Structures are given as structure tokens and as C-alpha cells.
Amino acid sequence: MYQIHFDRPIHVHFIGIGGISMSGLAEILLSEGFTVSGSDSRRSPLTEMLEEKGALIRYGQRRDNITDDIDLAVYTSAIHPDNPEYLAVQEKGLPSLTRAQLLGQMMRQYKTAVAISGTHGKTTTTAMVSDILLQEGADPTLSIGGILKSIGGNYRVGGPDYFVTEACEYTNSFLSFFPKIGIILNIQEDHLDFFKDLADIRNSFHSFAKLLPEDGCLIINGGIDAYQELTEGISCPVITFGMRDGYDYYPSDISYDTMGKPSFICHGPDGFTLPVTLGMPGTHNIANALPAIALSHRLGIEDSSIQQALCHFEGTDRRFDYKGEIGGVTVIDDYAHHPAEIEATLSAAAHYPHKRLWCVFQPHTYSRTKSFLTDFAKVLSTAEHVVLADIYAARETDTLGISSRDLQDRINALGGDCHYFPSFDEIENFLLENCTAGDLLITMGAGDVHKIGENLLGI
């Protein structure tokens, strides 16, 4: 595999440079003195930012964009084999890397690379770690799967000491990484359009854990079933965390303020204790904070930096994200699109002030909806009122014979109050007619359901 080196900058061409992840990688290479070119279908704020920093970007993907001075091409999984630039790269025999492979190569250029994995909570925990390092003044380089409010973006170019990134298991992309410290938050069934079953997913996380070097560290949720199977054969130290006594890091004395924000005492090895108040609501955010604290403690971060960062933590876009208020109705947006994530978000909402809860859910992909239809219905039936949008197809074209009406029928059969409308306009009109002052409205899903709340608010 081609290996990049920050001390030997070359010309890298990005096929599809305008994506939020690809543009961040391009920005890091530009800061390290690399020549960067790329192509995308249209101009955007991200491509304009890169052009201002010195990248040469062409709009429209054509064979002649692959010039003879290019040393390396980078592409994403969205690029098909018949893409004209991809074909030109193959015909010229140019070295090429996937986005994940490039990210893995870049991790090798930093003293301490941290990769945060898990079925749920990756973005929030990565953001917490990022804010703690920023509070400490550690000047980290960051790659986050959402917009971190404290930096106004999902990437930050920092110094050579720390690189912090999410590590996604989908298509086994995290197996291209080279972390020194790894975090495994949880493991559940998901992405069953790629993985065969839970055992297949666990095998991938075991392979991820085995990437860690002897002088590194694995921080893992001790509540994962038979977590020892995932640590078998790895040479680095293992640190556990969990929501009860018995793990290396655990909370006690949990309480909530009037806005649902938790406070607790974190306990760790050798008598370590740290009072913590989180700036975000939800018990699940305690579980997200524990590995961030464990990592920070291992890195020698000051206790005060941990406390200050977590207390002022505002989260990332689309994670229990306060959007505004209309007619006394509070509008929140959340990325939850898996039954476990929905359960965590609804649990957080229970501690948030409201009269009635309205959950507007947009299922994400036909395969996920079909696989978890019963689980979706069970968890959504606990909300007072549910409104369903059509399934967001994303990358899929086969409906698998499933629809939001099937989910509506399941929810109502369990005693829930569920409504379905095929258009956002109909949903918005229904909400305007039925929501009253004091209600809490949560738009939920990984697609474009956030537009419903934004349209209601006029933003």
C-alpha cells in the first residue's frame, strides 16, 4: 500500500473533494505543504475554502483532470468503477488510496493517534475528547463525524502530537487505520446490508482491537457481552468502563438538573474521583463521557480541563440539538436512526422540561427498517405521539417490500399513537394544528428530517 509522509509532500488528487470528510483530509495535506487538486460535481463552501487555501479544483469529473504531475489519487466508496477519473488513474497506473486508507496513513504521522469506535456514540465521544484536548491547550488535529460547535466544523488542523478521529465499522473502513489508542463504546447489530450478523460485527471489532500496538491502549465498554473475546490476543493494556461499580471507570451519585443535564462522580483506578457536570442532557451521555475521561486521565490531562470541557460541552449538530421555539413548542433535532439510539434520545427527553412529547421519525434505509422493524416499533411506542415520514433510501434502491406504513401499523398495535404522512408539507401542517405551548418536538433520523423543524421555525 502506498505510504504518505508529511516530510515528503507530493501532489494528491481527490476524486470527489467536496465531501465533508474528503475536504478535511485535503485541508490537512495543504497545511503540511502538499500540492492538492481535486474534482467535484459542483462548487460549494467547502470547495471554495480549499481553493482559497491553494487547492486546484475542477468542476465536473473528466479523464483529462488526471494530469501527469499527480502522484497519488484518493477516492471514496461513492466513486463507481466506471468513473472517468478513476478509469484514468487505473490506466496510468497511478497509486491510489481509499479515503479510509488515506486517513489511516495520516494517523501514522502523529505521536498519539486516537480512534473512537462503536455502533453508537462515536461522534459525541469524539467531540468530548476533542473539547477536553482543546481546553488543555494540546493543539490536536481532529476528524469528527459531525459539526463540532466549539470549532465550527468537523475538522481541525493542529500540531503533531494528537490526532483524534471517529472509526466507523461500516465496510470495515476502520481496519485501514493505525491508532495508538482505541476506544470501543458498544457493539450492536447495525449495517446488516454489509455485515452478515452480530458475530460478523464482533469479529471486525476484534480485528480493530488487534491493530493497537503494544505501547498503546484499548478503552472498552466492559458491559459488552463477553468483551474479553474482543481483547483476546491483543498486546496492549485494556481499560474498562461501565455504568456500575466493577469497571475501571464508572459513575456514582447521578443526578439531573431541570434541563436534564446530569451530574455524577467518576471513579477510576488508584482512588481517582472526579465530580463532573455535563453540558448535554441524557444518561447515555454519561456513558459517552466515561471513556473520554479514562482517555484523558491516561494522557495526563488536568482534572480541571476535563471538568471545564464537559461542563461547557455543547455537543455536535444533530445530537439533541436545540433548534428553537415556535408558539411555546421547543424544537430539538437528533441523528438517532437505530433503536438503541432512539431509546437513548427519548430517555434524555424524559428529563427535559415538556408537557407532551412529539417524535417525528424518518426511518433510514429499507434494509435497516426491515431488520429492526419490531425493535423500532417497540421503542417508538413509548413516545406519547409519533409522526412518521417516508423511509430515507440513502444508497438503496430496493424497497424490500417495506414502508413507513408497516412501522405505523406495528406502533399502533402496541398501543402507540402514530401518524404517517408521505410529504414533509403534510407533516408540518399536522404539527402546526396539534402541537401546543409547552410541548417538545423532536425530529429524528439520519436523513433530511431536520428540515421539518427548520421549516416550522423559518430557519
Side-chain angles (χ1 to χ4, degrees):
M1 183 185 300
Y2 191 90
Q3 172 67 56
I4 67 164
H5 300 275
F6 280 2
D7 59 354
R8 298 199 294 273
I10 58 173
H11 180 178
V12 181
H13 181 84
F14 289 80
I15 306 174
I17 197 170
I20 194 166
S21 178
M22 290 278 272
S23 62
L25 296 177
E27 183 180 358
I28 292 174
L29 292 184
L30 283 168
S31 73
E32 295 292 338
F34 283 65
T35 299
V36 171
S37 63
S39 62
D40 217 291
S41 57
R42 63 181 62 88
R43 188 179 301 274
S44 71
L46 289 174
T47 61
E48 291 173 352
M49 175 273 293
L50 291 173
E51 287 176 316
E52 291 174 2
K53 293 179 179 290
L56 173 63
I57 301 179
R58 295 181 172 91
Y59 297 96
Q61 293 177 343
R62 297 177 295 274
R63 296 174 62 90
D64 57 9
N65 289 343
I66 306 302
T67 54
D68 291 338
D69 59 335
I70 293 172
D71 299 301
L72 172 70
V74 180
Y75 61 96
T76 71
S77 57
I79 299 300
H80 297 293
D82 60 353
N83 179 281
E85 292 187 21
Y86 181 83
L87 287 172
V89 168
Q90 301 305 309
E91 290 171 5
K92 287 176 177 285
L94 287 176
S96 62
L97 295 172
T98 66
R99 182 205 64 84
Q101 289 170 335
L102 174 62
L103 179 54
Q105 297 295 320
M106 291 170 67
M107 293 174 77
R108 286 179 149 175
Q109 310 302 306
Y110 295 84
K111 292 180 181 177
T112 303
V114 180
I116 298 169
S117 72
T119 313
H120 321 294
K122 293 185 292 292
T123 298
T124 297
T125 301
T126 305
M128 287 178 171
V129 170
S130 299
D131 274 356
I132 290 170
L133 290 173
L134 290 169
Q135 180 70 38
E136 179 78 356
D139 193 26
T141 296
L142 308 174
S143 170
I144 307 165
I147 302 300
L148 180 59
K149 295 179 181 179
S150 59
I151 64 174
N154 72 312
Y155 268 86
R156 179 185 188 273
V157 179
D161 290 336
Y162 295 106
F163 186 95
V164 180
T165 184
E166 285 187 36
C168 182
E169 74 276 12
Y170 186 56
T171 69
N172 283 330
S173 64
F174 65 173
L175 300 186
S176 296
F177 291 1
F178 294 92
K180 183 173 184 179
I181 299 177
I183 294 176
I184 300 178
L185 298 171
N186 40 63
I187 300 176
Q188 292 182 317
E189 287 182 315
D190 199 7
H191 301 304
L192 295 178
D193 58 328
F194 176 77
F195 294 108
K196 294 192 296 287
D197 50 28
L198 182 58
D200 190 24
I201 297 171
R202 287 174 62 91
N203 181 63
S204 287
F205 276 93
H206 186 204
S207 298
F208 170 73
K210 289 194 290 187
L211 296 174
L212 298 168
E214 188 172 335
D215 63 344
C217 174
L218 174 65
I219 300 171
I220 188 169
N221 184 345
I224 296 172
D225 287 342
Y227 82 87
Q228 295 88 348
E229 295 176 357
L230 305 173
T231 62
E232 184 178 352
I234 71 171
S235 58
C236 66
V238 176
I239 296 172
T240 62
F241 68 92
M243 291 297 289
R244 58 175 175 78
D245 191 357
Y247 304 112
D248 293 322
Y249 290 84
Y250 66 93
S252 71
D253 302 279
I254 298 172
S255 62
Y256 300 86
D257 68 11
T258 57
M259 299 302 290
K261 298 176 182 179
S263 295
F264 62 96
I265 296 175
C266 178
H267 300 268
D270 302 320
F272 171 80
T273 59
L274 187 69
V276 176
T277 295
L278 299 182
M280 290 287 290
T283 304
H284 65 292
N285 279 323
I286 299 176
N288 291 330
L290 290 173
I293 296 169
L295 170 67
S296 303
H297 191 204
R298 180 174 178 82
L299 294 177
I301 303 297
E302 293 288 338
D303 290 355
S304 59
S305 294
I306 301 171
Q307 290 170 313
Q308 286 294 313
L310 294 179
C311 182
H312 295 103
F313 180 67
E314 296 181 292
T316 60
D317 284 1
R318 307 221 58 214
R319 271 69 176 182
F320 213 87
D321 190 7
Y322 174 83
K323 305 296 289 187
E325 187 176 303
I326 178 173
V329 177
T330 300
V331 180
I332 300 288
D333 181 57
D334 197 276
Y335 192 68
H337 56 288
H338 183 282
E341 296 167 348
I342 295 170
E343 183 177 21
T345 300
L346 294 179
S347 176
H351 293 283
Y352 199 90
H354 66 278
K355 285 169 50 179
R356 298 181 301 170
L357 173 63
W358 294 83
C359 177
V360 181
F361 179 61
Q362 181 186 47
H364 189 258
T365 72
Y366 300 107
S367 59
R368 182 181 282 112
T369 306
K370 186 170 184 176
S371 296
F372 298 116
L373 187 64
T374 299
D375 294 330
F376 277 131
K378 183 178 179 180
V379 68
L380 286 168
S381 67
T382 64
E384 291 170 85
H385 306 285
V386 179
V387 181
L388 296 178
D390 275 330
I391 295 171
Y392 189 85
R395 56 191 173 269
E396 297 181 342
T397 56
D398 186 350
T399 68
L400 304 176
I402 201 76
S403 73
S404 289
R405 286 197 182 277
D406 297 309
L407 181 54
Q408 179 194 23
D409 291 342
R410 292 286 187 102
I411 293 171
N412 286 333
L414 292 172
D417 176 44
C418 182
H419 307 264
Y420 159 72
F421 300 98
S423 73
F424 281 8
D425 283 344
E426 291 170 281
I427 292 174
E428 291 162 20
N429 289 331
F430 177 80
L431 295 171
L432 287 171
E433 292 173 3
N434 289 276
C435 292
T436 59
D439 287 353
L440 176 62
L441 169 63
I442 302 181
T443 55
M444 193 181 296
D448 58 356
V449 68
H450 60 91
K451 293 179 180 178
I452 292 173
E454 292 170 357
N455 289 341
L456 291 173
L457 293 166
I459 58 176

